[in-house]
Amino acid sequence: MEDVKSLNFFEKFKKVKVGAIPLPAYLAMAIVIMLSAYFEELPVNMLGGFAIILSLGWFLGGIGGSIPGLKNFGGSAIFSLMIPSILVFFNFFNANTLAATDMLMKQANFLYFYIACLVCGSILGMHRKILVQGLMRMIIPMACGMILALVVGTTIGTLLGLGFEHTLFYIVTPIISGGIGEGILPLSLGYSAITGIPSEQLVGQLIPATIIGNFFAIISSGILNRLGEKRPDKCGQGQLVKFKDGDDMADAMKEDTSPLDVKLMGAGVLVACTLFITGGLLQKFTGFPGPVLMILVAALLKYLSVLPGDIEKGSKQLYKFISANFTFPLMVGLGMLYIPLKDVVGMLSWQYFVVVISVVLTVVLTGYFVGGKMNMYPIEAAIITACQSGMGGTGDVAILSASNRMNLMPFAQVATRLGGAITVISMTALMRFLF
């Protein structure tokens, strides 16, 4: 292996990568994009939009993920989301840049494509054994945590003067909705269909609670890890369920290491599009928001093992591709178009933080005590339920990394994806009933 210390400056420079692109090549492409934007020659279509969000998303995600300390608290997501919002606030982007981004994110509905691929791929790609047994084990702590968090958080917010409906639907619910792509965006679409308020306006109101909740969930996870070191009787060293000897779920937790199949990924695109369209079709007959119904249909198909294994594999591979390459770029688009910084800052107050902290502590403590009564290790159960208040897959990684429990990822996905889906479905139904 080549000794990195012996490399000269230019050789080291060439080895640095932004996303998957070597830094010199990235700089050349970024300069072209910046000049086109400066002279207002960016094409106002998907090409111009992708050029903006990919170049900024990979760069900001890399910076946020390399800062000591911050990188363990979702720094990549925070940078990708908030820096573009700050730049828009100070009028850094011209009209041509914003128009190209708007064309991709809103008019071309890249948001919907991202949601469909992520939700369908994560559910269909989950091992059925994890879906069935993991859900059976975690459903009670998840449900108890969700219910208690809604009650405790809403009560505290109401007592502090934030209002019952505002606290319940716009602070507490987004914290436990499963992240941005799988939670906030479908939730905003559901709210929009019920209230008539534009979904982009709702996203700006919902996201701050998710970001702050994710931060405190990561801190809680680190504290739980330290507690496990002091109380080994409460800790499974990464194992959630107290299985008998030889009865584990190692086969279900094995990651698929087979090479990517581009044809199967193409099939995954069609599956995601079809399931999204199915949700819209069912909305016509039920009146319930299509994106939420899409989640239900995907979970039902997985539970019944309707789709061939290769198709599910293609959906999972598509999910990996989309999440790996477009998560931080998507957050750039969200920050530019959906998060008016002035409005976000105006919503934050000490009462707001108290409500968020109370929600995170409630789900963590519920997981600890309820999980401990259900033949699960309390520390691991609490870490899993902490993922309910994280930022989806990004939050899962940060939360599990803080506790050195990455092998719990399948269970974290059950808590985040399915727990978030339950929250989105139930709270959208409640809002529809109330309004």
Side-chain angles (χ1 to χ4, degrees), residues 115 119-120 123 182-183 186 275 279 290-301 417-418 420-422 424-425:
I115 292 170
V119 171
C120 297
I123 293 178
E182 302 90 331
L275 288 175
V292 177
L293 293 172
M294 174 187 65
I295 299 174
L296 285 175
V297 174
L300 183 62
L301 290 177
R417 311 298 185 196
L418 296 184
I422 291 172
V424 171
I425 293 168

Side-chain angles (χ1 to χ4, degrees), residues 23 29 44 49 60 67 90 110 127 203 209-210 228 242 314 336 347 354 362 367 414 416 420 425:
L23 184 56
M29 288 185 277
V44 183
L60 293 175
I67 298 177
F90 288 105
F110 179 62
H127 197 290
V203 168
T210 304
K242 297 178 180 178
M336 291 175 66
M347 287 190 298
V354 169
T362 299
V414 170
T416 303
I425 293 168

Side-chain angles (χ1 to χ4, degrees), residues 157-204:
T158 303
L159 293 175
L160 293 177
L162 295 176
F164 173 81
E165 293 180 358
H166 177 75
T167 303
L168 176 61
F169 292 112
Y170 295 96
I171 302 179
V172 178
T173 297
I175 296 174
I176 55 176
S177 65
I180 295 177
E182 302 90 331
I184 294 299
L185 299 182
L187 192 66
S188 68
L189 295 176
Y191 283 6
S192 178
I194 296 169
T195 64
I197 301 174
S199 60
E200 59 267 25
Q201 182 178 338
L202 291 168
V203 168

Side-chain angles (χ1 to χ4, degrees), residues 212-228:
I212 299 171
N214 183 72
F215 178 79
F216 286 109
I218 296 169
I219 294 177
S220 299
S221 179
I223 295 174
L224 286 167
N225 182 51
R226 181 61 176 165
L227 178 61

Side-chain angles (χ1 to χ4, degrees), residues 307-358:
L307 296 176
D310 284 348
I311 300 301
E312 292 182 348
K313 179 180 178 180
S315 295
K316 184 175 183 179
Q317 291 187 350
L318 175 66
Y319 160 78
K320 289 182 176 180
F321 172 76
I322 294 294
S323 62
N325 291 288
F326 292 99
T327 296
F328 299 139
L330 180 81
M331 290 185 179
V332 168
L334 291 174
M336 291 175 66
L337 302 177
Y338 291 159
I339 305 181
L341 188 62
K342 183 177 180 180
D343 296 340
V344 171
V345 173
M347 287 190 298
L348 302 182
S349 61
W350 69 268
Q351 294 96 330
Y352 193 99
F353 278 94
V354 169
V355 173
V356 173
I357 293 172
S358 70

